[in-house]
Amino acid sequence: MEHHAEVLHGHTWLPYMPGKRDQLAMLLIFTVLFALAMGARQMTGPLPTAHAAQISLSPSALPGYTLRTILRMLAALAASLLFTLTYATLAAKSRRAEMVLVPLLDVLQSVPILGYLSFTVVFFMSLFPGQVMGAELAAIFAIFTSQAWNMAFSFYQSLRTVPRDLDEASVSFRLSGWQRFWRLEVPFAVPGLVWNTMMSMSGGWFFVVASEAISVGNVQISLPGVGSYVARAIQTRDLAAVAWALLAMTVAIVIYDQLLFRPIVAWADKFRVEQTASQQLPRSWLLDVLRRAELVQRAAAPIGALLKRSARARLYLPIHLRLDRLPISRETGDLLWYGTFVILGAYALYHLFQFVRPVLSWSDISLVAHNGILTFLRVLILIVLASIVWVPIGVMVGLRPAWAERVQPVAQFLAAFPANLLFPVAVYLIVHLRLTPQIWLCPLMILGTQWYILFNVIAGATAFPTDLREAATSFRLRSHAWWRKVMLPGIFPYFVTGAITASGGAWNASIVSEVVNWGDTRLDASGLGAYIARMTEAGDYPHITLGVATMSILVIATNRLLWRPMYAYAERRTRLD
Amino acid sequence: MSDPIHTTSNNALPTSTPPVLSFTQIGMSFAKPSGELMPVLQGIDLDLHEGEILGLLGRSGSGKSTLLRIAAGLIKPTAGAVHYQGQPLGGPTEGIAVVFQTFALYPWLDVLENVALGLDAAGVPLATAERKAQAAIELIGLDGFELAYPREISGGMRQRVGFARALVSEPTLLLMDEPFSALDVLTAENLRTDFLDLWIERRLPTKAVLMVTHNIEEAVAMCDHILVLGTNPGHIAASVPISLPHPRSRTSSEFQAVVGQIYAVLTSRMVESLAGQRRDTGLAQRLPEVSSHRIDGFLDTLAAQPNTHHFELSAIAAPLRLKIDELLPVALALHILEFGELNGDRLKLTAVGQVMAACDDEERRRLFREHLLKFVPIMSHICEVLDEREGHSAPRERFELELQDHLNKHDADATLRTAVDWGRYARLFTYDDQARVFQRGGLAV
């Protein structure tokens, strides 16, 4: 549900015009969801219920669980990379594929991941009946969906923006498609891809925790992992166990950051195209150690040589097969190609109608619409509140480099920390202080994602040109004018980036935060998220789909009608050339 | 046009071998947004023989880089034929290498790897590739820098890598796209001299060089033959063989004579094409990309010259360290506005131009305004439209589309940008770039 790729990489929105293609893509996706749902309803019967009681609450079991969670993350990362390299390459290299794949990706980005978790769980379970494998794959798929769209978008954009001179050089030196891909296109895409992976990874923790313990209708799953540990702790009202889980997750995130991402970011720096030596090189102690260790270097040398050899090989990529050489004109081809999808869309629409008619009534739709508006208002108000709090703080921190250096990693850590692990603590307080759930559950939605606003604002304030600040000081601009004319316009694009991410995350979080349990106590704040959660528990697939579709439409509409224009405005206003 | 042009004296060439590169009636057009074709190159004939450095000289927009890309096989011409060593050229070919204006080095490869990239396509074994790359690096004076990354080294060194990468594959034909224009004056001179030394001493495997440049002195210093390109559409305006012996001294009178001659060709071409435009409907007039501020400053410079009202362009350019791409547009602007008159290599201030050079800011703006309305059709057109319309405002898009009927998109955009700048300076109208709207206060002119 985020737009990291679009926003953070290159700071431009995609040039293609949304419209008919978007609608078609939406239609296709929802039909597939619906079809899956209908299939799932028939499948749930014979599936065994399993693995619920095996989770131990002993702290000594936690390291093992944490490791399992980490491995799930890694598996999903590998899958996302594979998807990125193929899907985005196809979209970038073939004009016709692009016409379909890019709008599809754009819509997929906006579908709330936790919403369709129920379908995918049932689907994967049916592939491996009675085995843990199905549930594992479902969890990995959930993490995959939180990363893959984003990464693919970033890669696609990089492929489309390869600098012209580098491209011409590769053509004039007659590199083959394979050589071009590994020596030009992939290296060029690396910085954006790494940054986007890191960002989506921080969202991934949230989903891995949510997808480890889930019950859909009469299917109950709990995979050994931190998420299941917390779910069990909630069932037994064990606050101490929640605390242990928080600790374990902190350790896991720090390990991931230090051992995986920091070295990769430091390494990826050499792929930046700007030919100036940057002032602040990203560093990693681990990478330094590896680069200097004689033994490691010697052990890695054959692998490096092998990689180099394979990148130099003159293989031709299969996508270079010219498919457009059919004896028809380009226009006719486009028409045929596009027509196929329109027919597919029409067919889908017909079936959607067939599915919907017997199970959904107008009252369902009005209920969902009401809930949708409620959640929409909550997200909006929360973003405004979070901005009021974090923008001034972010600016204050960002303008003091010494502070920024210390606060920024903390903010990034908080953004990565799966806020759903903290929910039990909040729920405990709400239950014990007898607060109104309709109001006090709301902050949970933005608990994890508000940090995106903070760290983007800090980044904006840090990047604010010193001369402009000094000019403002020398003209003795005071508080009001200073904020309105100098600082706020300066950080605006950064703020919008943060707010987009935060609102996308809040929509997703609503599914797990509008209905929460503490032992047998259940708090329900109503809203679209609560609706989807209730329907998931009941295993009522048509209604889940209705809820998910409504939420996707709301998210897409907000992106198109609010964030995109705001971003375009920020772009235009703050450019100097 | 003065004359010693077309007195071709190519150093005794064996006529039996085909030229390394030959263009026959090359033309290139791009589609306008309306679908109409916009020619950018027309009827280009050229032959590049063994042992020759051929220079393509022209202003931006003359299509010289497009020509080079056609020669490299990077783009296909829409008309005519290209032959490389007697064979039709179908795409990038073994034996043709390119040196890029922006170096086009891969930042993630070190110097050695970047140079070896020139051999990757040939499928040379890694060890051989590295040995050859090493040799090219030494030839071009880069030894010691093999393991450096491009961002660590200076611009001059980067272009040396560009040269080494092009030369490592032992190309028959070397194409250079403004190879020195991204470098500072000293570095450029240094690299030019080094390259010429290698060329003259025949230490390069290369048989012929095609170089694109907009720097007249550079072309005269290096080339055996210069083709001057005219604009709109790009065509060969003049062919100038240069038989000065190497090393050529820039201060020698022969050298300066050739430079002056080429200046004259370029300016007379400009004036000619300008006269052609006057006959067209008014909106087809291309405005040079010159800000009013620049015109203002140039007039001040001229006013400060001891010699009154008659200026030799090459003489003004040298002390100001201006390139033709910078000087000619200003001269052209003066010519369009009839503050000056371009004739060959000479710029003469008109009577009004002389008044302009002497008077104060307010008066200058008034004269500027009057001449804009009189001699620049797009300006009077914008004002008329604004006066007629309700609220005296009009969206930029309107004029953009009108201009695109007569000019290509790039020229239309540049012309409109200049028009906005000049109009603002003359206080003819205001323009809001946020709303992209032109606005005019009152009817008074």
Side-chain angles (χ1 to χ4, degrees):
Chain A
M1 291 181 94
E2 295 130 16
H3 281 85
H4 300 305
E6 283 175 83
V7 177
L8 295 175
H9 186 249
H11 280 274
T12 43
W13 293 104
L14 278 178
Y16 85 91
M17 280 303 294
K20 286 187 207 115
R21 290 177 191 173
D22 266 357
Q23 291 156 18
L24 201 62
M26 265 158 84
L27 192 62
L28 287 175
I29 289 170
F30 294 139
T31 312
V32 169
L33 279 184
F34 235 102
L36 272 179
M38 294 322 254
R41 199 156 59 150
Q42 285 142 24
M43 283 189 294
T44 41
L47 279 177
T49 60
H51 333 295
Q54 293 164 1
I55 300 295
S56 152
L57 279 185
S58 146
S60 63
L62 252 180
Y65 291 154
T66 314
L67 190 66
R68 294 287 289 267
T69 304
I70 288 180
L71 287 179
R72 262 170 224 133
M73 288 290 273
L74 266 183
L77 187 64
S80 307
L81 258 180
L82 197 67
F83 172 82
T84 300
L85 291 183
T86 48
Y87 189 97
T89 308
L90 195 63
K93 299 269 162 164
S94 157
R95 197 175 51 86
R96 297 222 170 99
E98 182 182 25
M99 277 165 35
V100 177
L101 294 183
V102 172
L104 208 61
L105 204 57
D106 200 33
V107 173
L108 278 172
Q109 276 201 117
S110 310
V111 180
I113 293 156
L114 292 179
Y116 55 76
L117 201 55
S118 43
F119 310 146
T120 53
V121 166
V122 176
F123 172 74
F124 282 108
M125 296 279 287
S126 71
L127 285 183
F128 300 91
Q131 293 172 30
V132 194
M133 193 61 182
E136 284 285 3
L137 284 181
I140 290 169
F141 185 75
I143 313 164
F144 167 84
T145 51
S146 74
Q147 304 170 336
W149 318 147
N150 236 326
M151 289 165 62
F153 239 130
S154 154
F155 192 61
Y156 163 78
Q157 268 206 326
S158 298
L159 290 185
R160 295 299 305 271
T161 51
V162 168
R164 179 154 167 233
D165 55 342
L166 297 186
D167 180 54
E168 280 187 338
S170 83
V171 177
S172 83
F173 290 123
R174 293 171 298 123
L175 297 190
S176 71
W178 176 262
Q179 288 175 323
R180 231 178 95 80
F181 188 68
W182 290 109
R183 310 217 70 170
L184 170 60
E185 290 165 342
V186 171
F188 175 70
V190 160
L193 191 58
V194 166
W195 175 248
N196 271 291
T197 310
M198 202 165 80
M199 286 284 117
S200 7
M201 201 67 166
S202 63
W205 293 109
F206 185 95
F207 299 110
V208 72
V209 169
S211 62
E212 280 173 357
I214 185 170
S215 62
V216 183
N218 55 353
V219 182
Q220 282 192 351
I221 294 154
S222 50
L223 292 166
V226 182
S228 301
Y229 186 87
V230 172
R232 181 100 184 96
I234 290 171
Q235 264 173 22
T236 57
R237 300 186 174 225
D238 188 343
L239 213 50
V242 172
W244 281 114
L246 292 179
L247 181 68
M249 191 41 81
T250 306
V251 172
I253 293 176
V254 170
I255 286 176
Y256 236 91
D257 183 58
Q258 291 294 316
L259 298 191
L260 187 66
F261 275 116
R262 215 138 280 268
I264 291 179
V265 168
W267 167 79
D269 188 63
K270 78 173 193 175
F271 297 103
R272 275 185 312 112
V273 168
E274 305 91 76
Q275 296 257 323
T276 48
S278 75
Q279 321 83 326
Q280 238 181 348
L281 286 174
R283 297 213 72 96
S284 155
W285 59 268
L286 183 64
L287 190 68
D288 287 346
V289 167
L290 290 181
R291 276 183 174 157
R292 283 173 201 159
E294 186 81 14
L295 200 65
V296 180
Q297 285 297 320
R298 211 175 297 167
I303 304 172
L306 189 72
L307 286 179
K308 193 168 177 180
R309 212 166 276 273
S310 52
R312 283 187 87 241
R314 283 191 62 77
L315 292 173
Y316 283 90
L317 282 184
I319 42 172
H320 274 247
L321 294 173
R322 306 300 322 178
L323 290 174
D324 350 0
R325 286 294 136 84
L326 293 171
I328 45 171
S329 77
R330 188 181 158 115
E331 285 77 21
T332 326
D334 281 356
L335 210 65
L336 278 177
W337 177 250
Y338 209 49
T340 315
F341 282 91
V342 171
I343 291 167
L344 226 76
Y347 179 76
L349 192 67
Y350 171 75
H351 270 263
L352 203 59
F353 187 68
Q354 293 289 315
F355 283 138
V356 166
R357 213 173 34 176
V359 283
L360 294 181
S361 63
W362 282 112
S363 65
D364 285 324
I365 291 172
S366 99
L367 178 67
V368 165
H370 266 104
N371 279 321
I373 290 168
L374 186 61
T375 304
F376 174 77
L377 287 178
R378 280 180 181 153
V379 171
L380 208 64
I381 291 169
L382 288 168
I383 295 286
V384 171
L385 287 178
S387 307
I388 291 173
V389 174
W390 293 119
V391 169
I393 295 179
V395 169
M396 287 306 156
V397 171
L399 293 184
R400 291 169 179 74
W403 289 19
E405 213 171 289
R406 254 172 284 164
V407 175
Q408 196 67 309
V410 176
Q412 289 199 22
F413 167 76
L414 287 173
F417 197 86
N420 32 359
L421 288 187
L422 288 168
F423 288 180
V425 180
V427 176
Y428 176 82
L429 290 176
I430 293 171
V431 171
H432 280 258
L433 299 174
R434 298 177 193 288
L435 302 169
T436 334
Q438 270 80 352
I439 295 171
W440 290 100
L441 277 183
C442 299
L444 294 186
M445 283 165 64
I446 203 156
L447 195 61
T449 55
Q450 56 184 323
W451 312 111
Y452 287 103
I453 298 181
L454 177 63
F455 81 65
N456 275 295
V457 170
I458 292 180
T462 312
F464 194 80
T466 320
D467 52 347
L468 294 188
R469 261 177 73 198
E470 285 170 349
T473 315
S474 83
F475 294 133
R476 283 172 291 131
L477 281 185
R478 288 287 154 77
S479 55
H480 186 67
W482 186 81
W483 279 105
R484 206 164 49 83
K485 294 200 171 141
V486 181
M487 214 54 213
L488 290 183
I491 58 163
F492 193 60
Y494 292 86
F495 165 73
V496 174
T497 306
I500 292 172
T501 317
S503 92
W507 278 105
N508 240 322
S510 73
I511 297 172
V512 284
S513 66
E514 284 183 340
V515 176
V516 290
N517 297 312
W518 182 243
D520 301 327
T521 320
R522 148 171 285 229
L523 303 177
D524 190 328
S526 66
L528 194 52
Y531 178 89
I532 296 175
R534 275 198 306 268
M535 294 304 152
T536 303
E537 252 170 89
D540 183 345
Y541 295 102
H543 287 101
I544 301 175
T545 314
L546 180 66
V548 172
T550 312
M551 192 177 274
S552 311
I553 290 167
L554 281 169
V555 171
I556 293 170
T558 334
N559 280 346
R560 293 276 192 280
L561 303 177
L562 182 68
W563 297 124
R564 223 171 254 219
M566 253 169 104
Y567 198 83
Y569 175 78
E571 263 269 271
R572 247 183 323 135
R573 275 294 295 271
T574 50
R575 232 182 17 210
L576 202 62
D577 48 74
Chain B
M1 206 190 302
S2 45
D3 213 17
I5 284 155
H6 287 303
T7 49
T8 312
S9 68
N10 271 334
N11 333 344
L13 288 161
T15 40
S16 55
T17 52
V20 178
L21 182 77
S22 88
F23 281 12
T24 327
Q25 287 297 305
I26 290 294
M28 186 80 204
S29 331
F30 294 111
K32 275 204 274 195
S34 58
E36 212 181 324
L37 284 181
M38 183 82 200
V40 291
L41 286 173
Q42 210 168 51
I44 305 276
D45 282 317
L46 72 81
D47 279 335
L48 174 57
H49 297 280
E50 243 182 85
E52 207 179 25
I53 300 183
L54 179 67
L56 290 174
L57 183 70
R59 298 192 292 138
S60 53
S62 58
K64 55 189 190 305
S65 284
T66 310
L67 264 182
L68 184 113
R69 277 164 180 71
I70 291 175
L74 288 170
I75 47 181
K76 280 198 169 44
T78 44
V82 185
H83 285 87
Y84 166 68
Q85 294 193 320
Q87 302 295 317
L89 185 74
T93 308
E94 193 175 351
I96 302 182
V98 186
V99 176
F100 293 87
Q101 180 180 13
T102 50
F103 322 138
L105 301 183
Y106 292 81
W108 43 87
L109 302 180
D110 62 32
V111 168
L112 186 67
E113 289 170 323
N114 258 301
V115 174
L117 190 75
L119 292 169
D120 275 9
V124 181
L126 193 60
T128 321
E130 284 185 352
R131 194 171 39 76
K132 285 192 167 183
Q134 189 66 47
I137 283 171
E138 275 165 32
L139 179 72
I140 212 78
L142 271 171
D143 30 341
F145 288 86
E146 293 86 347
L147 294 183
Y149 283 92
R151 74 168 57 95
E152 297 175 75
I153 57 182
S154 67
M157 288 308 238
R158 285 181 203 167
Q159 191 56 303
R160 277 176 199 267
V161 180
F163 272 100
R165 186 178 61 179
L167 292 171
V168 73
S169 59
E170 307 189 346
T172 310
L173 171 60
L174 185 64
L175 304 171
M176 307 203 283
D177 183 13
E178 308 209 15
F180 310 108
S181 69
L183 307 176
D184 65 79
V185 181
L186 271 177
T187 313
E189 184 58 33
N190 186 273
L191 188 51
R192 247 190 316 258
T193 317
D194 284 0
F195 176 78
L196 269 180
D197 287 347
L198 289 176
W199 173 254
I200 293 160
E201 292 163 20
R202 299 190 184 284
R203 289 171 61 196
L204 299 181
T206 304
K207 291 191 179 141
V209 178
L210 179 68
M211 180 172 87
V212 156
T213 179
H214 63 235
N215 181 333
I216 297 178
E217 295 211 357
E218 174 176 294
V220 176
M222 295 185 72
C223 298
D224 302 303
H225 198 137
I226 296 176
L227 296 178
V228 180
L229 293 180
T231 48
N232 201 26
H235 61 280
I236 294 178
S239 165
V240 187
I242 296 170
S243 47
L244 302 173
H246 286 287
R248 296 172 181 169
S249 155
R250 296 191 172 214
T251 45
S252 76
S253 56
E254 295 95 330
F255 190 97
Q256 284 306 322
V258 180
V259 170
Q261 195 185 5
I262 294 174
Y263 254 112
V265 173
L266 276 168
T267 48
S268 70
R269 281 284 143 187
M270 257 168 27
V271 176
E272 248 171 57
S273 78
L274 215 63
Q277 280 176 27
R278 283 268 160 80
R279 272 181 266 114
D280 293 345
T281 45
L283 292 188
Q285 184 183 44
R286 231 177 322 277
L287 298 183
E289 286 181 76
V290 181
S291 73
S292 51
H293 190 77
R294 190 107 202 203
I295 297 176
D296 213 35
F298 191 60
L299 280 171
D300 285 338
T301 313
L302 293 186
Q305 298 276 323
N307 163 17
T308 47
H309 324 317
H310 243 93
F311 307 98
E312 230 171 279
L313 282 184
S314 48
I316 305 175
L320 293 177
R321 284 241 162 263
L322 283 171
K323 298 186 191 137
I324 42 165
D325 254 23
E326 295 161 341
L327 183 61
L328 285 185
V330 193
L332 187 60
L334 289 182
H335 187 92
I336 289 175
L337 292 166
E338 307 225 338
F339 294 136
E341 206 175 292
L342 266 174
N343 191 2
D345 181 28
R346 286 166 183 283
L347 176 70
K348 190 180 138 209
L349 284 188
T350 58
V352 186
Q354 289 170 33
V355 175
M356 271 290 267
C359 63
D360 67 355
D361 181 61
E362 205 44 49
E363 187 62 12
R364 263 191 200 183
R365 288 188 193 228
R366 194 183 62 75
L367 286 170
F368 199 76
R369 180 160 58 227
E370 279 175 12
H371 278 236
L372 277 184
L373 291 174
K374 221 190 280 179
F375 302 114
V376 185
I378 179 69
M379 300 308 282
S380 46
H381 177 67
I382 291 176
C383 290
E384 271 166 37
V385 169
L386 291 177
D387 285 341
E388 279 163 19
R389 280 174 69 124
E390 198 81 15
H392 305 308
S393 70
R396 178 191 167 107
E397 208 186 355
R398 180 206 159 119
F399 303 115
E400 254 170 29
L401 291 176
E402 277 178 312
L403 282 176
Q404 280 178 24
D405 285 343
H406 304 277
L407 303 170
N408 68 29
K409 194 168 164 9
H410 175 264
D411 284 350
D413 203 52
T415 296
L416 202 54
R417 260 204 312 274
T418 302
V420 166
D421 181 78
W422 289 3
R424 279 173 166 164
Y425 175 74
R427 303 206 185 97
L428 279 172
F429 48 73
T430 58
Y431 172 66
D432 178 354
D433 194 52
Q434 290 292 312
R436 299 172 73 78
V437 160
F438 285 87
Q439 175 96 38
R440 189 154 149 85
L443 283 168
V445 168

